[in-house]
Amino acid sequence: ALLTEMTAAYPGEHWLHAELARTRYEAGDREAAHAYLREQLAGGKWKGYEAESFRGTRAQWLENEGRFPELVQFLAEWVERNPESETAYAQHLSALVRTGAEEKAFALMREWIGDAAKVPADGELTVAQQARFRAAVAAAAGQGHQLYADRVDVRWHAPLAE
């Protein structure tokens, strides 16, 4: 009750909202915690790091609960926002593989690696392009999010060499 009162009194304090969601989650009211984060994100008041923090927390919870189809959808929406951190991209690739959509993950990896290869020598990748490239290369190298092979799959030798 105190956290609820505090979030009402200090609506702009991200950490209070994050703590309220976490407290609900850890108390076993997981659906209420998910709903609270969805509500916070839907409002559009949180930008940058704060919104990314809420998204990262929700993705981690969905993954921990084994709710992979829902996680894939959530991460697809997050990736559409062009985040500058590789977290969403790496988790998205992993969730696709875990739900049997390996070919879709491979297609995204090819796309993201290819996009980086198309940048002219005097050009620069955007921060989001760099993040997608890092996530794709890590996955190709067997170092993806929660998917470790510790070897580069033969299919990735040529794309990575470019």
Side-chain angles (χ1 to χ4, degrees), residues 103-125:
E103 288 308 315
K104 181 167 178 136
F106 292 161
L108 284 172
M109 291 165 63
R110 282 190 293 277
E111 176 185 333
W112 297 344
I113 291 169
D115 286 349
K118 293 177 194 169
V119 174
D122 61 342
E124 280 190 31
L125 295 172

Side-chain angles (χ1 to χ4, degrees), residues 54-90:
F54 285 144
R55 286 187 184 93
T57 297
R58 182 132 196 273
Q60 189 63 51
W61 289 349
L62 290 169
E63 183 176 41
N64 290 348
E65 294 166 30
R67 294 164 60 174
F68 293 106
E70 189 176 347
L71 177 63
V72 167
Q73 181 60 40
F74 178 74
L75 290 168
E77 292 168 7
W78 188 2
V79 164
E80 285 292 316
R81 298 175 149 289
N82 263 344
E84 294 186 345
S85 165
E86 74 184 85
T87 302
Y89 305 110

Side-chain angles (χ1 to χ4, degrees), residues 75 79 87-98 101-102 104-109 112 132 135-137 139-140 144-145 147:
L75 290 168
V79 164
T87 302
Y89 305 110
Q91 286 181 308
H92 187 51
L93 293 172
S94 174
L96 287 168
V97 170
R98 288 174 163 191
E102 203 171 69
K104 181 167 178 136
F106 292 161
L108 284 172
M109 291 165 63
W112 297 344
R132 285 190 292 274
V137 169
H145 175 78
L147 296 173

